Amino acid sequence: MKKFEQCNGLVVPLDRANVDTDAIIPKQFLKSIKRSGFGQYLFDEWRFLDHGEPGMTVAQRQINPDFILNQPRYQGAEILLARDNFGCGSSREHAPWALQDYGFSIIIAPSFADIFFNNCFKIGLLPIVLDGTIVDRLIKATEATVGYRLLVELNAQIVSTPSGEHYFFEIDAFRKHCLLNGLDEIGQTLQHAEKIRDYEKKRRIEQPWLFA
Amino acid sequence: MKTLYDKLWESHVVHAESDGADATVLLYIDRHLVHEVTSPQAFESLRMAGRKPWRTSSILAVADHNVPTTDRRHGISDPVSRLQVETLDQNCDEFGITEFKMDDLRQGIVHVIGPEQGATLPGMTVVCGDSHTSTHGAFACLAFGIGTSEVEHVLATQCLVTKKSRAMQVLVEGVLPAGVTAKDIALAVIGEIGTAGGNGYAIEFAGSAIRALSMEGRMTLCNMAIEAGARAGMIAVDDVTIDYLKDRPFAPKGLLWEQAIAYWRTLKSDEDAIFDRTVRMDATRIKPQVTWGTSPEMVASVNGRVPAPSDIVDVVKRNAVMRALEYMDLQPHMPITEIYLDKIFIGSCTNSRIEDLRAAAAVVAGKKIASNIKLAMVVPGSGLVKSQAEQEGLDRIFREAGFEWRDPGCSMCLAMNEDRLGSGERCASTSNRNFEGRQGPGGRTHLVSPVMAAAAAIAGHFVDIDS
Ligand code: SF4
């Protein structure tokens, strides 16, 4: 995993609540057995007017000019501002893969669906929870200012606006440590292999039917 | 004093990074269910890192999302789908993992076959790369969906890095009115607390109405805990649980069975356990539920009406309702019973078990589907459910009424195979998600119970089952 320190990124606002994983990456694209290449199908039903199928390239598609991600001023955005309960629905990790592959490295919302939130950390995409009123303010500011950027510093846990407001965000210490150091979680866990084996030994005695 | 969730959690902690309830822990996983959509990248990464599955006997695999529900002898026509299913077969063969292949009678939806085989047992931690893993919580398991990186993590280490959620109790007391089912409880709870209401919580369903449910009903309810935002739903062990599991192929036998049930009986919340939040529902007041919008929380009683955006004060909510009504092509204040359907889908891991099919068959027996219904289909949850239903003659009842009788799989729950809605088509579906395009691009989904889906097939529109 890549190390994450800070990001001074262009922001795009997605002014909808309950954006679900089917909207983030429609199911026809889940048939791939690969881990990359999902960015071109991110928000497929909103970004394009025609129906997308795996294998199609953006060049072949009918772009929906009204969808916010397609507006020229938001090209190259790295920070997505969203509303409540972002990423609800299925457990598909294809959703964070698609967001990351498209170019996002941070999603800011007042709340996230649990599994989605969790999946983001596993791939080094940073979900940040900020109060609803702050997100509201940021969405308005982004819409009002072309080229609006936010500075996100993971170590200090601060989101800063161009006009000098600073917003603190919470993050679990272990997750922060993994992100800052780009650590492979499986390698970390395997350092406890002995403990896992001990646990199994104990359970074999206490609940033998689980190992029958 | 402990909640059921506390007990399940504490008995699986292998290591904690720190003290306290907020600690990141290594949680041991007893049962890992695997399907074709969320596993290929996990196996691939595992192989690339030169690792092997930690304990293959904990894994049970099946292809369900992509499989055709019509004649299987021709295989899967879509090459991309086929490759995904073949990849699962290869991975399972390579690592010696038990898999029910497409031609196996035991094949079916992953959340149907786990319990059916007794592979889901009380007290276990159960994970699967699928959000509806919450289903298995009906057996007093800690069961939840995980992403592909976590699938790889569990394959490699038999553990997950995770944190404890808060505990919510949903207490449903009283006797359900006739025609009202576990599905209606699920939708009513979601209507009450919202799709984000359970975020950060594990929900325990309790109360007399829950104890009165069969295992099938309990699975339906826990299945939709995820639609309420909770990762896990669970129900304490009682005789119903134990009777269901007896003699299932993977369940313990003989002395081990006796030993197991003695432990399983302890799997309930202590009398004085404290929950972070309690939601109370009166079962006697729950009506048959129908969703009208594009989120499961957009739900009404069948004798109710579609809301009007003008009645809603909150701007974000009002906009969401407006967008939903537009997508669903419904008029504000329109009675739910005036919604006419094009298609009927009885199936999915929410409602495709034998009892669901029996309930639906009882409604359609001797009747014919309405002339405006273009397609009505029943997709049993597994090969075993299908054959059981056929032994009981349910297939004949459905066929004579004009339903199609299909092979098991996820089918039109998410339309990854050929079964899908056309643009603008309206469907009464017993599945769990009504998001835009879920059942096919432009398709319109109304979530209902099997009884309601069956009644709507006959009437051509939703009907107040009471009247
Ligand atoms: S039936 Fe639907 S919800 Fe259940 S596992 Fe299959 S796709 Fe997911």
Side-chain angles (χ1 to χ4, degrees):
Chain A
M1 215 164 70
K2 238 177 56 208
K3 285 186 191 182
F4 191 109
E5 279 159 4
Q6 64 168 46
C7 165
N8 185 8
L10 187 69
V11 185
V12 59
L14 186 62
D15 194 1
R16 295 187 181 206
N18 297 312
V19 170
D20 60 77
T21 51
D22 282 72
I24 297 173
I25 182 87
K27 68 238 153 200
Q28 63 268 33
F29 304 108
L30 309 191
K31 292 180 184 179
S32 166
I33 57 168
K34 298 212 197 73
R35 211 177 183 121
S36 56
F38 293 100
Q40 55 186 331
Y41 309 118
L42 176 71
F43 297 123
D44 200 84
E45 284 179 21
W46 294 342
R47 255 169 77 208
F48 303 102
L49 296 169
D50 56 343
H51 173 70
E53 282 295 330
M56 291 166 102
T57 62
V58 175
Q60 302 168 307
R61 307 290 301 279
Q62 256 175 283
I63 308 275
N64 173 8
D66 295 335
F67 185 56
I68 191 127
L69 254 65
N70 288 333
Q71 296 180 13
R73 57 179 281 201
Y74 294 120
Q75 298 315 302
E78 285 176 82
I79 301 177
L80 183 70
L81 272 178
R83 295 282 188 186
D84 263 311
N85 204 25
F86 187 83
C88 61
S90 88
S91 64
R92 63 187 69 158
E93 200 164 301
H94 310 68
W97 291 341
L99 286 158
Q100 192 176 55
D101 194 52
Y102 182 86
F104 289 114
S105 47
I106 293 165
I107 322 284
I108 301 177
S111 64
F112 292 88
D114 278 357
I115 302 179
F116 175 85
F117 188 72
N118 206 31
N119 284 342
C120 287
F121 285 104
K122 309 285 171 186
I123 65 163
L125 180 68
L126 178 60
I128 295 178
V129 177
L130 287 183
D131 195 79
T133 53
I134 297 173
V135 170
D136 209 52
R137 221 177 299 151
L138 293 177
I139 288 182
K140 292 208 174 86
T142 309
E143 284 167 350
T145 323
V146 176
Y148 192 83
R149 287 177 173 266
L150 288 170
L151 174 67
V152 175
E153 291 163 289
L154 177 57
N155 207 8
Q157 300 176 219
I158 286 175
V159 177
S160 307
T161 69
S163 50
E165 290 106 336
H166 304 290
Y167 303 112
F168 182 77
F169 62 91
E170 297 286 347
I171 181 171
D172 168 64
F174 179 74
R175 283 174 164 161
K176 179 174 166 181
H177 172 75
C178 287
L179 279 179
L180 282 172
N181 298 291
L183 292 177
D184 160 22
E185 231 182 46
I186 293 179
Q188 298 275 101
T189 298
L190 286 174
Q191 293 182 355
H192 298 293
E194 218 30 61
K195 273 196 168 176
I196 302 172
R197 272 189 279 272
D198 287 347
Y199 175 87
E200 283 181 330
K201 257 183 235 151
K202 190 177 74 153
R203 266 170 88 73
R204 259 176 216 279
I205 297 164
E206 289 170 4
Q207 296 182 36
W209 62 88
L210 292 176
F211 295 84
Chain B
M1 286 283 113
K2 291 179 176 156
T3 62
L4 169 59
Y5 178 55
D6 291 331
K7 294 181 187 181
L8 293 170
W9 181 268
E10 286 165 16
S11 60
H12 288 88
V13 173
V14 171
H15 167 81
E17 287 290 328
S18 62
D19 293 336
D22 200 35
T24 299
V25 309
L26 268 189
L27 196 73
Y28 189 81
I29 303 304
D30 296 310
R31 176 65 70 203
H32 189 185
L33 302 166
V34 168
H35 67 81
E36 81 276 24
V37 181
T38 52
S39 68
Q41 295 87 351
F43 280 112
E44 177 74 18
S45 305
L46 191 75
R47 211 177 280 120
M48 271 159 45
R51 292 176 176 136
K52 286 206 160 38
W54 180 280
R55 182 155 83 86
T56 44
S57 64
S58 69
I59 311 171
L60 179 61
V62 72
D64 53 4
H65 286 62
N66 278 289
V67 300
T69 58
T70 48
D71 200 347
R72 294 251 165 104
R73 281 169 307 183
H74 307 302
I76 302 174
S77 54
D78 174 1
V80 197
S81 287
R82 194 186 326 125
L83 178 64
Q84 204 168 50
V85 173
E86 286 168 358
T87 305
L88 179 68
D89 293 350
Q90 281 160 13
N91 284 326
C92 290
D93 290 348
E94 177 182 337
F95 293 114
I97 292 167
T98 306
E99 183 199 6
F100 297 159
K101 298 223 161 82
M102 219 166 76
D103 52 3
D104 192 316
L105 186 64
R106 298 169 298 176
Q107 182 270 342
I109 305 172
V110 65
H111 307 308
V112 173
I113 66 161
E116 183 173 83
Q117 291 295 321
T120 301
L121 295 173
M124 278 183 165
T125 41
V126 180
V127 296
C128 174
D130 189 284
S131 55
H132 289 98
T133 310
S134 59
T135 312
H136 307 264
F139 292 84
C141 292
L142 177 53
F144 51 90
I146 55 178
T148 297
S149 292
E150 291 179 309
V151 170
E152 184 192 347
H153 198 115
V154 176
L155 284 173
T157 70
Q158 208 59 40
C159 291
L160 264 184
V161 177
T162 183
K163 276 182 155 208
K164 201 172 176 189
S165 307
R166 284 174 295 168
M168 182 190 298
Q169 185 187 38
V170 174
L171 260 183
V172 193
E173 300 284 3
V175 180
L176 285 176
V180 179
T181 67
K183 180 64 162 285
D184 302 299
I185 302 182
L187 288 170
V189 169
I190 295 162
E192 175 81 19
I193 70 174
T195 48
N199 279 2
Y201 287 99
I203 298 180
E204 179 179 348
F205 297 98
S208 57
I210 306 302
R211 282 196 299 279
L213 293 175
S214 65
M215 278 324 291
E216 281 90 346
R218 295 176 189 190
M219 285 188 255
T220 300
L221 188 56
C222 289
N223 173 278
M224 291 197 73
I226 183 76
E227 269 66 51
R231 275 185 97 176
M234 63 194 77
I235 295 173
V237 169
D238 62 10
D239 289 340
V240 178
T241 327
I242 290 171
D243 292 346
Y244 179 97
L245 287 170
K246 187 143 182 42
D247 299 326
R248 301 261 162 193
F250 285 58
K253 309 272 160 17
L255 215 58
L256 282 180
W257 170 256
E258 295 303 325
Q259 208 181 341
I261 55 178
Y263 171 65
W264 294 346
R265 295 234 181 248
T266 67
L267 296 172
K268 53 181 183 216
S269 291
D270 297 331
E271 290 284 340
D272 43 2
I274 295 167
F275 290 85
D276 298 294
R277 184 178 171 196
T278 295
V279 175
R280 287 193 169 75
M281 307 275 295
D282 178 354
T284 62
R285 302 176 66 136
I286 299 177
K287 291 286 228 167
Q289 303 284 301
V290 178
T291 65
W292 48 263
T294 51
S295 159
E297 71 185 18
M298 295 174 165
V299 65
S301 295
V302 67
N303 60 345
R305 287 166 184 270
V306 171
S310 56
D311 298 345
I312 299 166
V313 188
D314 183 276
V315 190
V316 178
K317 277 216 181 92
R318 192 195 310 145
N319 288 342
V321 169
M322 232 150 66
R323 189 159 21 226
L325 292 189
E326 196 178 312
Y327 181 85
M328 294 297 289
D329 191 27
L330 296 173
Q331 301 311 314
H333 290 317
M334 150 180 199
I336 298 286
T337 49
E338 283 175 19
I339 299 175
Y340 279 76
L341 289 316
D342 302 306
K343 289 188 172 170
I344 308 289
F345 171 62
I346 298 179
S348 89
C349 59
T350 315
N351 282 124
S352 63
R353 298 179 182 82
I354 188 69
E355 196 174 88
D356 300 315
L357 305 191
R358 285 183 192 135
V363 174
V364 305
K367 304 198 180 83
K368 289 263 181 277
I369 59 173
S371 57
N372 57 307
I373 303 293
K374 291 190 251 176
L375 170 73
M377 59 198 265
V378 182
V379 185
S382 71
L384 289 169
V385 169
K386 187 179 185 204
S387 77
Q388 167 82 29
E390 287 173 354
Q391 275 167 35
E392 296 179 16
L394 304 185
D395 58 324
R396 230 177 342 107
I397 295 177
F398 282 119
R399 281 210 179 95
E400 282 168 11
F403 278 84
E404 289 189 13
W405 180 249
R406 298 290 188 90
D407 278 337
C410 294
S411 180
M412 210 158 68
C413 173
L414 95 164
M416 261 184 93
N417 67 355
E418 293 70 40
D419 309 336
R420 60 183 70 166
L421 296 181
S423 185
E425 282 181 337
R426 189 182 295 286
C427 179
S429 175
T430 66
S431 55
N432 44 54
R433 289 193 175 135
N434 52 352
F435 301 150
E436 288 182 19
R438 169 78 177 183
Q439 294 193 292
R444 300 177 174 132
T445 303
H446 297 275
L447 303 176
V448 292
S449 75
V451 178
M452 179 60 78
I458 303 303
H461 56 90
F462 292 118
V463 280
D464 192 344
I465 304 174
D466 277 0
S467 58

